[in-house]
PDB file of all heavy atoms in Angstrom:
ATOM      1  N   ILE A 433     115.063  86.420 109.027  1.00 98.00           N
ATOM      2  CA  ILE A 433     113.731  85.884 108.748  1.00 98.00           C
ATOM      3  C   ILE A 433     113.863  84.585 107.924  1.00 98.00           C
ATOM      4  O   ILE A 433     114.757  84.468 107.040  1.00 98.00           O
ATOM      5  CB  ILE A 433     112.849  86.899 107.992  1.00 98.00           C
ATOM      6  CG1 ILE A 433     113.469  87.363 106.665  1.00 98.00           C
ATOM      7  CG2 ILE A 433     112.539  88.077 108.930  1.00 98.00           C
ATOM      8  CD1 ILE A 433     112.606  88.249 105.852  1.00 98.00           C
ATOM      9  N   ILE A 435     111.386  82.052 105.570  1.00 98.00           N
ATOM     10  CA  ILE A 435     110.095  82.217 104.716  1.00 98.00           C
ATOM     11  C   ILE A 435     109.640  80.763 104.426  1.00 98.00           C
ATOM     12  O   ILE A 435     110.463  79.889 103.977  1.00 98.00           O
ATOM     13  CB  ILE A 435     110.357  82.964 103.443  1.00 98.00           C
ATOM     14  CG1 ILE A 435     110.976  84.367 103.764  1.00 98.00           C
ATOM     15  CG2 ILE A 435     109.103  83.132 102.612  1.00 98.00           C
ATOM     16  CD1 ILE A 435     110.072  85.274 104.542  1.00 98.00           C
ATOM     17  N   PHE A 487     116.571  86.174 102.947  1.00 96.00           N
ATOM     18  CA  PHE A 487     116.811  86.350 101.543  1.00 96.00           C
ATOM     19  C   PHE A 487     118.310  86.656 101.300  1.00 96.00           C
ATOM     20  O   PHE A 487     118.689  87.343 100.375  1.00 96.00           O
ATOM     21  CB  PHE A 487     115.996  87.532 100.978  1.00 96.00           C
ATOM     22  CG  PHE A 487     114.488  87.271 100.930  1.00 96.00           C
ATOM     23  CD1 PHE A 487     113.738  87.884 101.888  1.00 96.00           C
ATOM     24  CD2 PHE A 487     114.010  86.510  99.964  1.00 96.00           C
ATOM     25  CE1 PHE A 487     112.335  87.672 101.876  1.00 96.00           C
ATOM     26  CE2 PHE A 487     112.541  86.256  99.942  1.00 96.00           C
ATOM     27  CZ  PHE A 487     111.695  86.829 100.909  1.00 96.00           C
ATOM     28  N   THR A 495     109.433  89.896 108.617  1.00 98.00           N
ATOM     29  CA  THR A 495     108.613  89.688 107.489  1.00 98.00           C
ATOM     30  C   THR A 495     107.358  90.516 107.780  1.00 98.00           C
ATOM     31  O   THR A 495     106.379  89.964 108.342  1.00 98.00           O
ATOM     32  CB  THR A 495     108.229  88.209 107.308  1.00 98.00           C
ATOM     33  OG1 THR A 495     109.432  87.412 107.363  1.00 98.00           O
ATOM     34  CG2 THR A 495     107.573  87.965 105.917  1.00 98.00           C
ATOM     35  N   TRP A 496     107.391  91.749 107.392  1.00 97.00           N
ATOM     36  CA  TRP A 496     106.348  92.626 107.899  1.00 97.00           C
ATOM     37  C   TRP A 496     104.995  92.502 107.235  1.00 97.00           C
ATOM     38  O   TRP A 496     103.957  92.559 107.837  1.00 97.00           O
ATOM     39  CB  TRP A 496     106.870  94.092 107.785  1.00 97.00           C
ATOM     40  CG  TRP A 496     106.892  94.844 109.158  1.00 97.00           C
ATOM     41  CD1 TRP A 496     106.175  94.503 110.220  1.00 97.00           C
ATOM     42  CD2 TRP A 496     107.634  95.977 109.513  1.00 97.00           C
ATOM     43  NE1 TRP A 496     106.419  95.379 111.250  1.00 97.00           N
ATOM     44  CE2 TRP A 496     107.344  96.301 110.863  1.00 97.00           C
ATOM     45  CE3 TRP A 496     108.614  96.755 108.835  1.00 97.00           C
ATOM     46  CZ2 TRP A 496     107.939  97.440 111.486  1.00 97.00           C
ATOM     47  CZ3 TRP A 496     109.165  97.799 109.522  1.00 97.00           C
ATOM     48  CH2 TRP A 496     108.882  98.097 110.885  1.00 97.00           C
ATOM     49  N   LYS A 497     104.985  92.350 105.936  1.00 98.00           N
ATOM     50  CA  LYS A 497     103.720  92.248 105.283  1.00 98.00           C
ATOM     51  C   LYS A 497     103.837  91.521 103.941  1.00 98.00           C
ATOM     52  O   LYS A 497     104.932  91.622 103.313  1.00 98.00           O
ATOM     53  CB  LYS A 497     103.126  93.617 105.003  1.00 98.00           C
ATOM     54  CG  LYS A 497     101.677  93.655 104.582  1.00 98.00           C
ATOM     55  CD  LYS A 497     100.700  93.128 105.579  1.00 98.00           C
ATOM     56  CE  LYS A 497      99.256  93.152 105.122  1.00 98.00           C
ATOM     57  NZ  LYS A 497      98.365  92.530 106.132  1.00 98.00           N
ATOM     58  N   MET A 498     102.855  90.742 103.555  1.00 98.00           N
ATOM     59  CA  MET A 498     102.744  90.139 102.251  1.00 98.00           C
ATOM     60  C   MET A 498     101.402  90.556 101.610  1.00 98.00           C
ATOM     61  O   MET A 498     100.404  90.680 102.306  1.00 98.00           O
ATOM     62  CB  MET A 498     102.812  88.572 102.319  1.00 98.00           C
ATOM     63  CG  MET A 498     104.061  88.069 102.909  1.00 98.00           C
ATOM     64  SD  MET A 498     104.006  86.187 102.880  1.00 98.00           S
ATOM     65  CE  MET A 498     105.652  85.806 103.502  1.00 98.00           C
ATOM     66  N   VAL A 499     101.434  90.708 100.285  1.00 98.00           N
ATOM     67  CA  VAL A 499     100.169  91.029  99.528  1.00 98.00           C
ATOM     68  C   VAL A 499     100.326  90.510  98.119  1.00 98.00           C
ATOM     69  O   VAL A 499     101.437  90.522  97.582  1.00 98.00           O
ATOM     70  CB  VAL A 499      99.986  92.597  99.604  1.00 98.00           C
ATOM     71  CG1 VAL A 499     100.992  93.368  98.706  1.00 98.00           C
ATOM     72  CG2 VAL A 499      98.580  92.929  99.134  1.00 98.00           C
ATOM     73  N   LEU A 505     103.282  87.824  94.311  1.00 98.00           N
ATOM     74  CA  LEU A 505     103.295  87.922  95.833  1.00 98.00           C
ATOM     75  C   LEU A 505     104.386  88.876  96.235  1.00 98.00           C
ATOM     76  O   LEU A 505     105.582  88.491  96.027  1.00 98.00           O
ATOM     77  CB  LEU A 505     103.427  86.552  96.421  1.00 98.00           C
ATOM     78  CG  LEU A 505     103.692  86.508  97.902  1.00 98.00           C
ATOM     79  CD1 LEU A 505     102.469  87.135  98.671  1.00 98.00           C
ATOM     80  CD2 LEU A 505     103.927  85.045  98.394  1.00 98.00           C
ATOM     81  N   TYR A 506     104.076  90.010  96.820  1.00 98.00           N
ATOM     82  CA  TYR A 506     105.074  90.942  97.278  1.00 98.00           C
ATOM     83  C   TYR A 506     105.308  90.637  98.837  1.00 98.00           C
ATOM     84  O   TYR A 506     104.367  90.414  99.591  1.00 98.00           O
ATOM     85  CB  TYR A 506     104.558  92.374  97.128  1.00 98.00           C
ATOM     86  CG  TYR A 506     104.505  92.766  95.714  1.00 98.00           C
ATOM     87  CD1 TYR A 506     103.375  92.613  94.916  1.00 98.00           C
ATOM     88  CD2 TYR A 506     105.658  93.343  95.024  1.00 98.00           C
ATOM     89  CE1 TYR A 506     103.325  92.944  93.594  1.00 98.00           C
ATOM     90  CE2 TYR A 506     105.620  93.740  93.726  1.00 98.00           C
ATOM     91  CZ  TYR A 506     104.393  93.531  92.997  1.00 98.00           C
ATOM     92  OH  TYR A 506     104.392  93.899  91.654  1.00 98.00           O
ATOM     93  N   VAL A 507     106.575  90.740  99.189  1.00 98.00           N
ATOM     94  CA  VAL A 507     106.988  90.509 100.572  1.00 98.00           C
ATOM     95  C   VAL A 507     107.834  91.709 100.994  1.00 98.00           C
ATOM     96  O   VAL A 507     108.874  91.995 100.353  1.00 98.00           O
ATOM     97  CB  VAL A 507     107.854  89.229 100.708  1.00 98.00           C
ATOM     98  CG1 VAL A 507     108.294  88.988 102.138  1.00 98.00           C
ATOM     99  CG2 VAL A 507     107.128  88.022 100.147  1.00 98.00           C
ATOM    100  N   GLY A 508     107.359  92.368 102.042  1.00 98.00           N
ATOM    101  CA  GLY A 508     108.090  93.548 102.550  1.00 98.00           C
ATOM    102  C   GLY A 508     108.738  93.228 103.852  1.00 98.00           C
ATOM    103  O   GLY A 508     108.131  92.616 104.729  1.00 98.00           O
ATOM    104  N   THR A 509     110.030  93.617 104.042  1.00 98.00           N
ATOM    105  CA  THR A 509     110.784  93.284 105.225  1.00 98.00           C
ATOM    106  C   THR A 509     111.180  94.538 105.999  1.00 98.00           C
ATOM    107  O   THR A 509     111.159  95.646 105.502  1.00 98.00           O
ATOM    108  CB  THR A 509     112.032  92.540 104.865  1.00 98.00           C
ATOM    109  OG1 THR A 509     113.067  93.392 104.386  1.00 98.00           O
ATOM    110  CG2 THR A 509     111.755  91.450 103.809  1.00 98.00           C
ATOM    111  N   ASP A 561     113.745  95.796 102.556  1.00 98.00           N
ATOM    112  CA  ASP A 561     113.745  95.076 101.246  1.00 98.00           C
ATOM    113  C   ASP A 561     112.324  94.767 100.771  1.00 98.00           C
ATOM    114  O   ASP A 561     111.528  94.412 101.640  1.00 98.00           O
ATOM    115  CB  ASP A 561     114.568  93.782 101.378  1.00 98.00           C
ATOM    116  CG  ASP A 561     116.029  94.032 101.769  1.00 98.00           C
ATOM    117  OD1 ASP A 561     116.456  95.176 101.845  1.00 98.00           O
ATOM    118  OD2 ASP A 561     116.791  92.988 101.888  1.00 98.00           O
ATOM    119  N   LEU A 562     112.227  94.855  99.495  1.00 98.00           N
ATOM    120  CA  LEU A 562     110.945  94.426  98.911  1.00 98.00           C
ATOM    121  C   LEU A 562     111.190  93.386  97.825  1.00 98.00           C
ATOM    122  O   LEU A 562     112.006  93.601  96.951  1.00 98.00           O
ATOM    123  CB  LEU A 562     110.217  95.650  98.263  1.00 98.00           C
ATOM    124  CG  LEU A 562     108.921  95.332  97.526  1.00 98.00           C
ATOM    125  CD1 LEU A 562     107.818  94.889  98.557  1.00 98.00           C
ATOM    126  CD2 LEU A 562     108.400  96.624  96.867  1.00 98.00           C
ATOM    127  N   TYR A 563     110.541  92.213  97.967  1.00 98.00           N
ATOM    128  CA  TYR A 563     110.729  91.071  97.045  1.00 98.00           C
ATOM    129  C   TYR A 563     109.411  90.762  96.441  1.00 98.00           C
ATOM    130  O   TYR A 563     108.314  91.087  97.041  1.00 98.00           O
ATOM    131  CB  TYR A 563     111.296  89.889  97.766  1.00 98.00           C
ATOM    132  CG  TYR A 563     112.718  89.939  98.116  1.00 98.00           C
ATOM    133  CD1 TYR A 563     113.194  90.579  99.168  1.00 98.00           C
ATOM    134  CD2 TYR A 563     113.639  89.342  97.200  1.00 98.00           C
ATOM    135  CE1 TYR A 563     114.574  90.641  99.421  1.00 98.00           C
ATOM    136  CE2 TYR A 563     114.998  89.423  97.478  1.00 98.00           C
ATOM    137  CZ  TYR A 563     115.490  90.047  98.606  1.00 98.00           C
ATOM    138  OH  TYR A 563     116.880  90.116  98.838  1.00 98.00           O
ATOM    139  N   ALA A 564     109.424  90.033  95.251  1.00 98.00           N
ATOM    140  CA  ALA A 564     108.238  89.582  94.637  1.00 98.00           C
ATOM    141  C   ALA A 564     108.394  88.160  94.140  1.00 98.00           C
ATOM    142  O   ALA A 564     109.378  87.867  93.464  1.00 98.00           O
ATOM    143  CB  ALA A 564     107.807  90.499  93.509  1.00 98.00           C
ATOM    144  N   PHE A 565     107.461  87.273  94.540  1.00 98.00           N
ATOM    145  CA  PHE A 565     107.392  85.968  93.852  1.00 98.00           C
ATOM    146  C   PHE A 565     106.531  86.080  92.638  1.00 98.00           C
ATOM    147  O   PHE A 565     105.395  86.550  92.757  1.00 98.00           O
ATOM    148  CB  PHE A 565     106.781  84.941  94.789  1.00 98.00           C
ATOM    149  CG  PHE A 565     107.680  84.528  95.960  1.00 98.00           C
ATOM    150  CD1 PHE A 565     107.614  85.238  97.153  1.00 98.00           C
ATOM    151  CD2 PHE A 565     108.604  83.529  95.809  1.00 98.00           C
ATOM    152  CE1 PHE A 565     108.416  84.855  98.269  1.00 98.00           C
ATOM    153  CE2 PHE A 565     109.369  83.095  96.886  1.00 98.00           C
ATOM    154  CZ  PHE A 565     109.329  83.771  98.070  1.00 98.00           C
ATOM    155  N   ILE A 588     109.210  98.081 105.145  1.00 98.00           N
ATOM    156  CA  ILE A 588     107.920  98.235 104.473  1.00 98.00           C
ATOM    157  C   ILE A 588     106.940  97.638 105.454  1.00 98.00           C
ATOM    158  O   ILE A 588     106.671  96.486 105.541  1.00 98.00           O
ATOM    159  CB  ILE A 588     107.847  97.464 103.127  1.00 98.00           C
ATOM    160  CG1 ILE A 588     108.856  98.023 102.110  1.00 98.00           C
ATOM    161  CG2 ILE A 588     106.444  97.516 102.511  1.00 98.00           C
ATOM    162  CD1 ILE A 588     110.198  97.300 102.088  1.00 98.00           C
ATOM    163  N   MET A 591     101.208  97.095 103.271  1.00 98.00           N
ATOM    164  CA  MET A 591     100.949  97.143 101.830  1.00 98.00           C
ATOM    165  C   MET A 591      99.457  96.735 101.580  1.00 98.00           C
ATOM    166  O   MET A 591      98.924  95.884 102.311  1.00 98.00           O
ATOM    167  CB  MET A 591     101.781  96.057 101.098  1.00 98.00           C
ATOM    168  CG  MET A 591     103.267  96.290 101.132  1.00 98.00           C
ATOM    169  SD  MET A 591     104.232  95.199 100.074  1.00 98.00           S
ATOM    170  CE  MET A 591     104.154  93.683 101.027  1.00 98.00           C
TER     171      MET A 591
END
Side-chain angles (χ1 to χ4, degrees):
I433 58 174
I435 306 294
F487 294 101
T495 311
W496 236 339
K497 190 65 179 176
M498 296 185 180
V499 69
L505 170 62
Y506 291 91
V507 181
T509 78
D561 297 358
L562 181 63
Y563 283 84
F565 289 92
I588 296 96
M591 297 186 285

